[in-house]
Amino acid sequence: MTVTIVGSQLGDEGKGGVVDVYGDAADVVARYQGGDNAGHTVVHDGEKYKLSLVPSGAVRDKVGVLGNGCVVNPETLFEEIDALRERGLEPDVRVAERAHVILPYHRALDGIEEEEKADLAAGTTKRGIGPTYEDKAGRRGVRIGDLLEPEVLRERLEYVVPQKKALAEEVFGKETGEAFDIDHLYETYREYGERLAEEGMTVDCGTFLQERIDAGDDVMLEGAQGTSIDIDHGIYPYVTSSNPTAGGAAVGTGLGPTVVGRGDVIGIVKAYLSRVGTGPLPTELGGVEGQTPGYDADEGADPEEEDLATYIRDEGGEYGTVTGRPRRVGWLDVPMLRHAARANGFTGLAINHVDVLAGLDEVKVGHSYEFDGEEIFTMPPTTEQWGRCEATLKTFDGWPAVDWAEVAEEGYDAIPENARTYLEYVSEELDAPIYAIGVGPGREETVVLENPYE
Ligand code: GDP
Ligand code: IMO
Ligand code: MG
């Protein structure tokens, strides 16, 4: 059977940690969308692993699969595998032959377009994700299977590279180098193809997974990003270019929707909001220059709000792992979660970072929005409409900081009562039971109420 893990907000909800908790019972962990724009953290025996492409299960000897819905940068893939090997692990990673390849010109164009877009820029990770999915939809992409067939690779590159070069040079007026050089790309990517073939890494993803399921194996489908940055269901255009929502798990692996639907779909919820990138955020506290629209750090926002934002940011370690830039933070946005619960059909929830809010006198949530004089309970369809929404807050009494490791050991009833009230409110609003509660970054710091594989 399958268990699907989906981010219910804006990414970084702690999906890697939940995959680790539940994935232990699984045999195969497959990603179904996105690429090395993800950053999934697994804390294993006190060791921290940050994975951007390799499925989180790889740190626990599971077979990791990158599904056909993923976009794969072979350079990152091999770097990550080699780094894990250096740390004494033996990751077994398979890659769908149907997955698309991120080429150096995709990365270059991602950077160029972000600069050009100004206010419309999503603040991408500049990993070439959007340009690669564009080429996939434009039927001019290079797929993993093509890397193993040099003539096909050459033919594809000869068609597409001159277009990309012209785009960079003539439309955007940029100089181009080897990232746009057919011979260089051909040699480099043919070699990646050779390594993929030598290590027996490529698979027909849907067939591979279905055969494992038929043989009785348990499969975990690991979503990256989150529902509100889904290209169809998110805050377009401040989104990623794939479908993190549960439907993507079928399309992006080749398993049927009925197969995915027979298993659990677990929504991962951060107990507050964090956001890397631009666009509106109705429950935002304070702001971050360069990301919060119209925010000026010298003027700041309401000082009390700024203090709260700083508190949550520091307690939750909400700083970019690479750049150290502060992330935007806010109260839990319940209309956003209702939207996610519907779009994904959550059968269960994992609510993380409950420890981060400990110590506050009051914890608030955006319960509904006031939108053009009306009260609404879910996200409106356009981002401009969402930007006009004002969150109507609901206040909960805060809970104290306690020994969370001990709480995790003792179980649900050991969680401070006010925190339980908060959790039960979320579960009721989303009409989905709580499967797990994260009270710290480590696997032991999880209160597990339900194991989907049992
Ligand atoms: P992902 O992208 O959804 O996998 O999440 P990230 O790994 O990018 O970000 C989550 C961060 O929060 C990581 O540093 C985790 O180790 C940490 N984390 C996960 N769950 C919890 C939790 O319940 N409490 C705390 N304090 N940290 C957590
Ligand atoms: P995980 O899997 C948080 C955001 C970027 C940007 C937008 C588009 O760790 O939760 P992209 O590079 O994908 O074209 O950027 O999406 N973004 C994420 N935010 N967590 C992620 O992944 C993200 N992946 C992309 O900040 O706003
Ligand atoms: Mg992340």
Side-chain angles (χ1 to χ4, degrees), residues 85-108:
R85 283 186 182 153
E86 267 166 37
R87 291 175 76 175
L89 299 174
E90 288 173 39
D92 179 355
V93 182
R94 316 296 175 93
V95 189
E97 290 190 29
R98 289 181 168 94
H100 279 249
V101 180
I102 301 180
L103 286 137
Y105 52 81
H106 291 125
R107 274 202 182 216

Side-chain angles (χ1 to χ4, degrees), residues 11-16 37-41 50-51 225 276 321 327:
D12 301 333
E13 298 92 345
K15 297 177 291 293
N37 49 348
H40 294 182
T41 315
K50 282 251 157 216
L51 301 166
Q225 287 81 52
V276 196
T321 36
R327 294 184 184 143

Side-chain angles (χ1 to χ4, degrees), residues 182-195:
I182 296 176
D183 289 333
H184 170 76
L185 294 170
Y186 173 71
E187 286 308 327
T188 314
Y189 283 75
R190 195 171 55 92
E191 277 174 30
Y192 285 135
E194 278 169 12
R195 181 164 173 191

Side-chain angles (χ1 to χ4, degrees), residues 136-190:
K136 171 179 176 175
R139 295 162 296 171
R140 63 181 97 80
V142 173
R143 305 204 291 178
I144 289 291
D146 302 337
L147 302 185
L148 278 66
E149 297 201 34
E151 288 113 73
V152 179
L153 173 63
R154 179 102 213 172
E155 192 184 20
R156 296 269 193 274
L157 292 172
E158 280 179 359
Y159 173 72
V160 74
V161 176
Q163 290 183 14
K164 299 293 159 188
K165 199 169 156 75
L167 181 63
E169 290 178 353
E170 288 159 37
V171 176
F172 295 116
K174 302 286 177 190
E175 277 180 31
T176 58
E178 60 181 23
F180 294 79
D181 181 273
I182 296 176
D183 289 333
H184 170 76
L185 294 170
Y186 173 71
E187 286 308 327
T188 314
Y189 283 75
R190 195 171 55 92

Side-chain angles (χ1 to χ4, degrees), residues 7 11-18 38-43 48-50 56 222-225 268 270 272 315-318 321 327 351-356 437-442 445-446:
D12 301 333
E13 298 92 345
K15 297 177 291 293
V18 177
H40 294 182
T41 315
V42 179
V43 183
K48 197 173 195 175
Y49 297 91
K50 282 251 157 216
S56 299
E222 175 180 1
Q225 287 81 52
I268 315 304
K270 189 177 258 188
Y272 53 93
E315 292 293 309
E318 299 295 352
T321 36
R327 294 184 184 143
I351 307 181
N352 287 323
H353 299 85
V354 171
D355 55 307
V356 173
I437 299 152
V439 293
E445 289 153 320
T446 313

Side-chain angles (χ1 to χ4, degrees), residues 63-137:
V63 178
V65 181
L66 294 170
N68 55 276
C70 294
V71 287
V72 179
N73 184 329
E75 197 181 335
T76 322
L77 176 66
F78 289 127
E79 269 173 22
E80 221 163 81
I81 290 174
D82 292 344
L84 290 172
R85 283 186 182 153
E86 267 166 37
R87 291 175 76 175
L89 299 174
E90 288 173 39
D92 179 355
V93 182
R94 316 296 175 93
V95 189
E97 290 190 29
R98 289 181 168 94
H100 279 249
V101 180
I102 301 180
L103 286 137
Y105 52 81
H106 291 125
R107 274 202 182 216
L109 286 164
D110 195 352
I112 294 171
E113 269 219 72
E114 278 285 288
E115 256 175 57
E116 283 297 311
K117 276 183 162 174
D119 283 356
L120 288 178
T124 73
T125 59
K126 300 199 176 132
R127 302 290 156 92
I129 306 296
T132 307
Y133 279 115
E134 257 180 66
D135 281 353
K136 171 179 176 175

